[in-house]
């Protein structure tokens, strides 16, 4: 049974961790864990008034956890909502008599309704800014009789074109959406703009339709219609027709595309376009977790070409991708290669080098920031010059490494530290409460631990010598950081039964006698124990299951 508990919920009460059971634990496993903790915390076992009071508090917490997890409906609500869901007054949204599957289905329906309401309040703005730069004066060779005037030998770099586009969406109902978009363009002193309004309606779960109206000072009024339809679960079709009004008259156009899932990761497309630039295009796209491959071929007027591209996705936290493509047709041949990488939570930076005949060499820099895209196509030369290719390749790489070291990494590190500080401050009172509960639990465990150790020693069984939980600093580059650990030798020894210690995959901060000494930071459990008179040691991640003793934990006598 999957759980949706977040970090804040773990800071409060993780019932699975408290009982030290799997999230898929059966009723029998829950009962065994509950009885064991009852024997430890039952108030009647303690005569001292203070210990009796502490035992009663912890016993109530354990009893509450067991009551929730033993009852299927309450357990389903807890798995989805966490403890907050159980604390809601008058839980009417889901009837208690429903099955766990029905509860989950009802929750997903309510989530969908809330998402639809949020969508109606969003405009979902998207924009693109493109600045074209002409840097051919840096690399191109000139005739000997060419005379520079007033430049002092400094190459001229010019901005020769610019394009700005923006769109916003306005959900009218759960099925109807209005999209308003506009653009402005200029090239070598000549420019123009357009404005478009599209109305889209979802007709069913299988399709939608759209009507678009547009106007501009370069192309004239536009009237277009577009439809999308799923014919089968693996096959869909789109169609678009339009009328463009201009000084040359009415220009009709029609485009249709057929698409089919060839397998789980592969799509096949077939497209026909009729109008000013008629063509037929077919392509195959294969997208997996680590690669993206595209092969396309087009026959048309004036563009006929064949194209193949490949992209490799590294499985790192920065989502690094490298790509290359080749495109050849009546216009010539173009080879492109490049890379992109996530530089912050909402930003992706990429660079692509384009080398072609007769286009020359260009460098395209792209920055995606949330829903905004910034493009900087830089035309370096009209010729195939090795120096231009070299600088277009090495220059962005050197620039990125410098920015990464001097700006991006310090900024990201600062943001993480601020977020961690805020999280720790907000949870300070709750952690103080958990620390007090853990200290009380350890006091109540002393007698039970003494008996367990005597039993284990009599048969040379499992003895926990030292156990520490929290943040360990083992990397020499992080020596300036302070280790944040707590001693959990007593709580772990208390969990030993029949010379075995078994911890499940839940966070260990919820175990009896534990608490979180470093909220928001990576934690581990380090245990030094003795079994059959031999020393053993193990370091386990916070949510990793642990089972001891194990032969692999044995410490060699020679080391």
């Amino acid at each position: 049974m999957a759980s949706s508990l977040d970090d804040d919920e773990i800071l409060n009460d993780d019932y699975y961790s408290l009982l030290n059971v799997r999230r898929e634990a059966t009723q029998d496993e829950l009962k065994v864990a509950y009885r064991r903790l009852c024997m430890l915390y039952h108030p009647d076992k303690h005569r001292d008034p203070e210990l009796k009071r502490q035992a009663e508090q912890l016993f109530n917490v354990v009893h509450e956890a067991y009551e929730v997890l033993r009852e299927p409906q309450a357990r389903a609500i807890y798995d989805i909502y966490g403890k907050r869901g159980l604390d809601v007054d008058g839980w009417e949204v889901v009837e208690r008599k429903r099955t766990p599957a029905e509860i989950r289905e009802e929750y997903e329906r309510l989530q969908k309704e809330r998402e639809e309401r949020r969508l109606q309040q969003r405009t979902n703005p998207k924009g693109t800014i493109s600045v074209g730069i002409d840097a051919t004066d840096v690399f191109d060779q000139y005739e000997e009789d060419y005379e520079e005037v007033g430049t002092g030998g400094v190459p001229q770099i010019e901005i020769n074109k610019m394009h700005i586009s923006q769109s916003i969406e306005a959900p009218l109902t759960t099925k109807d959406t209005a999209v308003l978009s506009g653009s402005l363009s200029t090239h070598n002193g000549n420019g123009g703009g357009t404005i478009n309004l599209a109305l889209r309606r979802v007709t069913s779960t299988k399709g939608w339709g759209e009507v678009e109206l547009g106007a501009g000072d370069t192309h004239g009024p536009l009237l277009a219609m577009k439809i999308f339809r799923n014919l089968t679960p693996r096959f869909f079709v789109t169609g678009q027709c339009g009328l463009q009004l201009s000084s040359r008259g009415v220009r009709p156009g029609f485009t249709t595309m057929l698409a089919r899932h060839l397998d789980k990761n592969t799509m096949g497309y077939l497209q026909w376009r009729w109008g000013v630039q008629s063509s037929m295009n077919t392509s195959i796209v294969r997208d997996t977790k680590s690669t993206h491959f595209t092969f396309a071929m087009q026959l048309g007027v004036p563009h006929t070409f064949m194209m193949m591209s490949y992209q490799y996705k590294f499985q790192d936290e920065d989502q690094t991708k490298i790509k290359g493509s080749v495109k050849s047709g009546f216009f010539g041949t173009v080879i492109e290669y490049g890379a992109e990488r996530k530089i912050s939570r909402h930003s992706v930076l990429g660079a692509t080098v384009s080398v072609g005949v007769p286009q020359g060499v260009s460098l395209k820099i792209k920055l995606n920031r949330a829903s905004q895209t910034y493009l900087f196509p830089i035309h370096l030369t009209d010729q195939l010059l090795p120096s231009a290719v070299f600088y277009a390749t090495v220059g962005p790489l050197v620039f990125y490494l410098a920015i990464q070291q001097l700006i991006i990494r310090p900024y990201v590190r600062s943001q993480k530290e601020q977020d961690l500080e805020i999280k720790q401050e907000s949870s300070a009172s709750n952690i103080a409460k958990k620390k007090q509960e853990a200290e009380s639990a350890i006091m109540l465990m002393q007698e039970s631990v003494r008996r367990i150790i005597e039993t284990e020693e009599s048969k040379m069984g499992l003895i926990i010598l030292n156990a520490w939980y929290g943040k360990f600093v083992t990397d020499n580059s992080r020596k300036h950081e302070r280790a944040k650990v707590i001693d959990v030798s007593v709580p772990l020894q208390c969990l030993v039964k029949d010379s075995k210690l078994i911890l499940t995959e839940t966070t260990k901060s919820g175990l009896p006698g534990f608490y979180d000494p470093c909220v928001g930071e990576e934690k581990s459990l380090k245990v030094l124990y003795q079994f059959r008179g031999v020393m053993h040691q193990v370091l386990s991640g916070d949510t990793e299951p642990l089972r001891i003793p194990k032969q692999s934990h044995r410490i060699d006598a020679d080391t």
Side-chain angles (χ1 to χ4, degrees):
M1 185 179 297
S3 173
S4 61
L5 298 181
D6 55 21
D7 291 340
D8 294 333
E9 193 65 46
I10 289 172
L11 286 176
N12 292 314
D13 291 289
D14 185 347
Y15 291 158
Y16 293 100
S17 181
L18 177 64
L19 298 179
N20 190 29
V21 294
R22 301 174 299 118
R23 297 198 179 277
E24 302 81 12
T26 63
Q27 291 294 327
D28 289 340
E29 290 173 329
L30 290 172
K31 192 176 295 184
V32 170
Y34 174 62
R35 285 178 176 174
R36 182 170 186 176
L37 289 176
C38 283
M39 293 176 62
L40 181 65
Y41 293 144
H42 203 287
D44 294 343
K45 294 189 64 176
H46 304 278
R47 296 181 180 179
D48 183 272
E50 179 60 23
L51 289 179
K52 192 178 187 71
R53 182 187 65 81
Q54 295 173 354
E56 186 174 357
Q57 291 178 349
L58 294 172
F59 180 82
N60 290 336
V61 173
V62 172
H63 180 72
E64 177 185 331
Y66 176 65
E67 288 299 315
V68 169
L69 298 185
R70 70 187 287 266
E71 208 270 316
Q73 286 78 14
R75 184 174 180 176
I77 295 170
Y78 174 77
D79 284 343
I80 298 170
Y81 291 91
K83 190 172 184 294
R84 290 186 296 265
L86 298 168
D87 292 340
V88 173
D89 293 332
W91 177 256
E92 291 94 1
V93 291
V94 178
E95 297 177 18
R96 295 278 181 172
K97 61 184 179 182
R98 293 190 179 185
T99 65
E102 290 173 333
I103 292 173
R104 189 175 297 275
E105 183 180 347
E106 179 72 5
Y107 169 73
E108 291 174 352
R109 185 187 67 80
L110 295 172
Q111 279 283 79
K112 186 176 180 180
E113 288 182 358
R114 284 194 293 268
E115 182 65 25
E116 288 177 348
R117 286 195 295 269
R118 282 197 295 266
L119 283 175
Q120 291 181 16
Q121 300 171 358
R122 293 173 54 186
T123 58
N124 193 24
K126 296 179 182 178
T128 300
I129 297 177
S130 177
V131 179
I133 301 173
D134 184 357
T136 55
D137 199 34
V138 177
F139 294 99
D140 279 354
Q141 299 175 357
Y142 301 94
E143 299 294 335
E144 293 182 359
D145 58 351
Y146 185 86
E147 296 182 1
E148 298 276 357
V149 180
T151 61
V154 178
Q156 294 183 354
I157 299 177
E158 301 176 345
I159 295 176
N160 61 354
K161 57 183 176 180
M162 184 176 291
H163 175 80
I164 300 175
S165 64
Q166 188 74 29
S167 69
I168 57 173
E169 294 183 1
L172 306 177
T173 67
T174 56
K175 293 186 176 181
D176 299 320
T177 304
V179 181
L180 180 65
S181 60
S183 66
L184 292 172
S185 300
T186 178
H187 187 200
N188 292 329
N190 298 316
T194 61
I195 185 168
N196 296 71
L197 174 64
L199 299 175
R200 180 182 301 167
R201 158 158 276 201
V202 178
T203 56
S204 68
T205 57
K206 295 184 177 181
W208 51 264
E210 181 179 283
V211 176
E212 182 179 1
L213 300 173
D217 57 0
T218 55
H219 298 98
L222 168 70
L223 174 62
M225 184 175 67
K226 185 175 183 179
I227 60 171
F228 170 89
R229 181 74 177 178
N230 271 316
L231 302 180
T232 70
R234 299 171 60 89
F235 182 59
F236 68 85
V237 60
T238 65
Q240 181 176 355
C241 60
L243 292 175
Q244 183 80 59
L245 306 179
S246 67
S247 58
R248 299 180 182 180
V250 179
R251 293 184 175 182
F254 178 77
T255 302
T256 184
M257 182 181 70
L258 304 176
R260 179 179 174 81
H261 288 273
L262 303 180
D263 62 32
K264 180 182 178 182
N265 302 110
T266 308
M267 290 288 297
Y269 299 91
L270 188 61
Q271 183 183 71
W272 291 274
R273 179 183 290 114
W274 175 79
V276 179
Q277 294 185 351
S278 299
S279 65
M280 182 179 71
N281 181 294
T282 183
S283 60
I284 295 177
V285 179
R286 180 169 178 81
D287 190 16
T288 65
K289 184 178 180 180
S290 60
T291 63
H292 183 93
F293 173 80
T294 301
F295 175 81
M297 185 169 59
Q298 176 173 301
L299 299 175
V301 179
H303 299 298
T304 295
F305 65 84
M306 184 180 296
M307 187 273 289
M308 183 170 61
S309 69
Y310 179 82
Q311 182 183 84
Y312 183 79
K313 310 170 190 175
F314 291 90
Q315 303 304 308
D316 58 354
E317 62 179 12
D318 294 323
Q319 300 175 13
T320 306
K321 301 175 184 177
I322 57 174
K323 56 186 177 181
S325 69
V326 57
K327 186 176 181 180
S328 183
F330 292 167
F331 58 84
T333 300
V334 178
I335 296 175
E336 292 187 344
Y337 57 90
E340 67 176 47
R341 193 175 196 184
K342 190 174 181 181
I343 58 175
S344 70
R345 185 180 303 173
H346 303 292
S347 301
V348 177
L349 180 64
T352 302
V353 178
S354 177
V355 182
V357 178
Q359 292 84 358
V361 181
S362 297
L363 170 64
K364 303 172 186 175
I365 298 175
K366 180 178 180 181
L367 173 64
N368 284 329
R369 173 70 179 172
S371 59
Q372 300 295 313
T373 302
Y374 304 90
L375 298 171
F376 301 93
I378 307 172
H379 190 190
L380 300 178
T381 175
D382 293 322
Q383 308 173 53
L384 292 181
L385 297 179
S387 59
V389 176
F390 173 80
Y391 285 109
T393 304
V394 176
L397 183 60
V398 173
F399 179 76
Y400 169 76
L401 293 176
I403 294 297
Q404 179 82 355
Q405 292 293 331
L406 298 176
I407 298 177
I408 297 175
R409 285 187 178 176
Y411 173 77
V412 172
R413 190 184 308 118
S414 174
Q415 287 295 109
K416 287 184 177 179
E417 290 174 354
Q418 289 181 15
D419 294 344
L420 180 60
E421 186 176 344
I422 292 172
K423 189 173 185 178
Q424 290 176 342
E425 287 178 357
S426 63
S427 59
S429 59
N430 188 57
I431 291 300
K433 176 185 174 185
K434 291 295 180 183
K435 180 180 179 181
Q436 186 177 3
E437 289 180 0
E439 291 172 348
S440 299
I442 290 175
M443 291 179 62
L444 298 171
M445 293 175 183
Q446 296 295 337
E447 183 62 28
S448 296
V449 167
R450 185 185 63 78
R451 290 197 301 268
I452 292 172
I453 291 177
E454 288 178 355
T455 302
E456 294 295 323
E457 283 180 341
S458 66
K459 56 182 179 181
M460 295 187 69
L462 178 59
I463 306 295
I464 305 296
L465 301 177
N466 279 302
W468 302 92
Y469 174 69
K471 175 185 175 182
F472 295 88
V473 180
T474 57
D475 190 348
N476 291 332
S477 64
R478 298 165 57 195
K479 281 186 176 180
H480 65 282
E481 297 185 24
R482 183 171 59 90
K484 303 173 184 176
V485 296
I486 57 174
D487 188 345
V488 291
S489 307
V490 172
L492 279 191
Q493 186 69 66
C494 192
L495 292 173
V496 172
K497 183 179 181 181
D498 298 330
S499 299
K500 294 179 183 178
L501 173 63
I502 301 174
L503 302 181
T504 64
E505 69 277 7
T506 55
T507 176
K508 296 174 179 59
S509 61
L511 290 169
F514 282 61
Y515 68 93
D516 192 340
C518 47
V519 176
E521 300 184 70
E522 187 176 345
K523 293 172 280 291
S524 302
L525 174 65
K526 187 175 183 179
V527 185
L528 178 67
Y529 64 94
Q530 183 175 300
F531 180 69
R532 298 287 187 260
V534 179
M535 301 287 286
H536 295 69
Q537 183 172 281
V538 61
L539 183 66
S540 173
D542 186 29
T543 56
E544 293 179 4
L546 178 64
R547 187 183 185 97
I548 59 177
K550 266 190 176 182
Q551 185 68 23
S552 58
H553 301 164
R554 181 168 175 164
I555 301 176
D556 254 343
D558 298 334
T559 59

